[in-house]
Amino acid sequence: VFLVDKVWVSNYGDGRAYDSVRRSLELLGTDRIDLMLLHQPYSDYYGAWRDLERAYGEGLVRAIGVSNFLEGDLQNILNHCEVKPAVDQLLAHIGNTPFELAAFCENNDILVEAYSPIAHGEADKIGAIVKMAERYDVSVAQLCIRYVLQLGMVALPKTANLEHMRSNADVDFEISAQDMETLRGVERISDYGDSSFFPVFGGKL
């Protein structure tokens, strides 16, 4: 088990992020969290980052990182931090891959964690993805997860279904370089259906 938690924007500044870490430890009944993230680059995220550095220094968390931070936000942290972000958790999938941001992260030893790697279910509606999955004799989900893994990212598929969990982990195949280029060029997904009202899917982050 790898335990991850986030500090919400409402808990940024004035030591509230540090207090949020302490609260999480108490609620989870543990003395250490593996990875603690700042959820968004808004409000006083400098102060919130200093709070995470304090929690890291005290051994309350094993690693600290961010989520939804763009290059400028990351550079602001890097310019003033004592502890670099270990990860940036980003929306990344076929049809919406932040290649330049991912390259910036790689150059600064920041691991990209790709959430919604299956495009929140929208990948099943894209013919090029479906046909390629059939050719590899894998599910669309497996192809999407393998894609982000081959880009050097960590895939974070979300499911409560045990069979889906097993299937999502069964990605011991390789997408050819030519097919990776095809997937890189898939038209950008702009409509996430019922989920479009979430800021990250609506292009507001």
Side-chain angles (χ1 to χ4, degrees):
V1 175
F2 189 82
L3 190 59
V4 182
D5 200 0
K6 289 184 177 180
V7 177
W8 298 97
V9 176
S10 58
N11 287 323
Y12 287 8
D14 298 323
R16 291 194 300 274
Y18 176 81
D19 293 340
S20 179
V21 173
R22 302 290 305 208
R23 253 192 326 274
S24 289
L25 291 169
E26 182 179 349
L27 291 170
L28 292 167
T30 184
D31 60 359
R32 188 173 298 177
I33 293 170
D34 292 302
L35 174 63
M36 199 75 179
L37 305 173
L38 296 184
H39 184 59
Q40 293 171 315
Y42 297 144
S43 187
D44 181 17
Y45 66 83
Y46 293 112
W49 187 256
R50 287 192 293 270
D51 280 349
L52 290 195
E53 289 181 324
R54 176 185 172 189
Y56 175 81
E58 293 179 5
L60 303 179
V61 294
R62 295 181 187 274
I64 53 178
V66 295
S67 180
N68 300 309
F69 275 52
L70 302 181
E71 182 174 335
D73 308 313
L74 287 170
Q75 190 63 65
N76 286 339
I77 291 288
L78 292 171
N79 288 343
H80 301 95
C81 69
E82 295 182 6
V83 181
K84 292 200 312 182
V87 305
D88 191 2
Q89 195 179 92
L90 301 168
L91 176 67
H93 56 72
I94 300 169
N96 190 352
T97 309
F99 294 110
E100 291 184 7
L101 179 52
F104 177 85
C105 288
E106 182 178 3
N107 290 337
N108 286 279
D109 297 318
I110 300 171
L111 179 67
V112 172
E113 291 187 342
Y115 66 79
S116 292
I118 310 168
H120 219 65
E122 295 301 310
D124 285 312
K125 303 175 185 177
I126 299 175
I129 299 176
V130 173
K131 289 179 181 178
M132 190 178 293
E134 290 174 349
R135 182 152 52 81
Y136 279 90
D137 194 25
V138 297
S139 69
V140 166
Q142 289 170 321
L143 184 75
C144 290
I145 291 168
R146 185 65 199 178
Y147 167 81
V148 297
L149 291 177
Q150 287 189 211
L151 291 177
M153 304 176 183
V154 171
L156 299 175
K158 180 180 178 181
T159 181
N161 183 296
L162 187 57
E163 285 304 313
H164 288 174
M165 290 181 193
R166 292 194 181 103
S167 177
N168 290 345
D170 186 15
V171 289
D172 189 20
F173 65 98
E174 185 170 352
I175 303 171
S176 72
Q178 182 177 350
D179 286 339
M180 282 294 291
E181 281 304 306
T182 298
L183 294 176
R184 283 171 174 263
V186 167
E187 184 177 353
R188 182 179 176 85
I189 296 174
S190 58
D191 184 359
Y192 290 88
D194 293 340
S195 298
S196 294
F197 76 93
F198 287 111
V200 67
F201 295 118
K204 299 174 184 175
L205 283 177

